[in-house]
Each structure stands twice: as structure tokens, then as C-alpha cells.
Amino acid sequence: RVTSQTASGAAVYGTQGYTITITGPPLAIATTSLPAGTVGAPYSQVLAATGGSPPYTWQQTGGSLPGGLLLNSPGNLYGTPTAAGSFTFQVMVSDSQQASATGSFTVRIAPAALSITTSSLPAGTVGTSYTATLAATGGTPPYTWSVASGAFPGGLSISSAGVISGTPTASGTFSVTLQATDSAQATATKAYSVT
């Protein structure tokens, strides 16, 4: 009910219907950063938004996701990273009223842990040429190889590239622990017996 007065001071009454629209806070991206991941390890993170009119729909609009990761429309960033590095990408979130907000994220993917994959060394024969090549995965190639402890049979040595070669001069079983070092100075060791 609305009340007003005339110029002479008489009260005048009337009614009028009104509609008041209360809008909520504007749509905004609530996630501020993403955790790091590791090559070969499952990754899962849910992007969050506030305001607007849920439900929200997400999409990548630019940049590059880490290899092996996907962003679906509900905002789940998931998968198993396949490459190390720092990746920046842009996203847009839309609400049910077609309002939208944009943002940019950077996610760092660390390399898998350095690991020596050669399971054993072949046997050799005194006086016969011997060659074996070591292998590793993870870390940040290239790898440099060395003897951490123990010793090869006389006549054998290891190169920095991981090639064991030479001609054995003594018989027996020899214990040696080998070390791989990557370009970021991460190391891995493994013990071997050479007969």
C-alpha cells in the first residue's frame, strides 16, 4: 500500500504491485592453484566456482594441458601425466544462465623417480670379450653411470654411458653396486653379481 498527500495535505491511498529481483554474487572461479603431479602417477583435481546460477560447465579455451590429462565439463581435471614440465592453460566456466568467467592455471608435472631397470648382468668367460648395457627410466635424462661400491672382475669397466665392457682376466663371482645419476643430480643404485 502506497500513501501520499495532496497539496492541501489530504492523504491519498493506493496500491500497486511490484517485483523485486535479488541477484546473487557474480560467477567466479574459486580454485586459485593446482597441485603438482608426477609422470606415471594418477592425477585428479576438481575445479570449483562460486556465484552465478549452478550447475556449472567447464571447458579449456587455450594453452596446453599436460599430456595424459583431460578436463571434462563438470570441471574434473584427471588422467595420468605422460610428460614432465610446466603447463599453462586457460579455462572458462559457464552457469545455467549463460554467464561466464575465465581463468588461467599452471600445473607442474615432475618426472617419475629415477630407477635402474636392468635386472641382472650376464655371466662372462675369462679371456672372452664381454659387453652389457645398463638401462634406467624416470628422472631427467641423460644418465651418467658409475660404480657406487664393490668392483668388477679384472679387465671389465663401465663407461659413463652405462656400457660394461672388456675382457675378464679372473674367474669367480663379483659383487658391484652401480649408480645412475640424471641431469638434475637425482641418483639411483642397484646391486649386481657378475659371474
Side-chain angles (χ1 to χ4, degrees):
R1 181 174 177 177
V2 178
T3 304
S4 64
Q5 291 182 328
T6 64
S8 61
V12 178
Y13 300 95
T15 59
Q16 174 66 50
Y18 293 95
T19 299
I20 300 176
T21 301
I22 307 297
T23 60
L27 178 62
I29 295 175
T31 302
T32 58
S33 63
L34 295 173
T38 301
V39 170
Y43 185 95
S44 180
Q45 184 69 23
V46 179
L47 301 181
T50 59
S53 301
Y56 307 124
T57 301
W58 294 82
Q59 62 179 314
Q60 179 189 354
T61 58
S64 299
L65 290 174
L69 295 191
L70 298 171
L71 176 65
N72 64 15
S73 60
N76 299 311
L77 180 62
Y78 68 97
T80 301
T82 59
S86 185
F87 302 85
T88 299
F89 59 98
Q90 292 75 46
V91 298
M92 181 173 72
V93 60
S94 303
D95 69 5
S96 62
Q97 300 301 310
Q98 303 309 305
S100 64
T102 59
S104 180
F105 293 100
T106 297
V107 60
R108 184 180 184 283
I109 304 298
L114 178 61
S115 174
I116 297 173
T117 57
T118 302
S119 58
S120 62
L121 297 178
T125 302
V126 171
T128 301
S129 179
Y130 180 98
T131 301
T133 301
L134 299 166
T137 62
T140 306
Y143 310 123
T144 301
W145 296 84
S146 60
V147 175
S149 64
F152 285 114
L156 296 187
S157 62
I158 184 172
S159 72
S160 62
V163 178
I164 303 166
S165 62
T167 301
T169 59
S171 62
T173 298
F174 300 81
S175 296
V176 61
T177 298
L178 301 178
Q179 176 174 291
T181 304
D182 72 3
S183 61
Q185 302 307 304
T187 61
T189 59
K190 193 165 189 175
Y192 294 95
S193 291
V194 183
T195 301

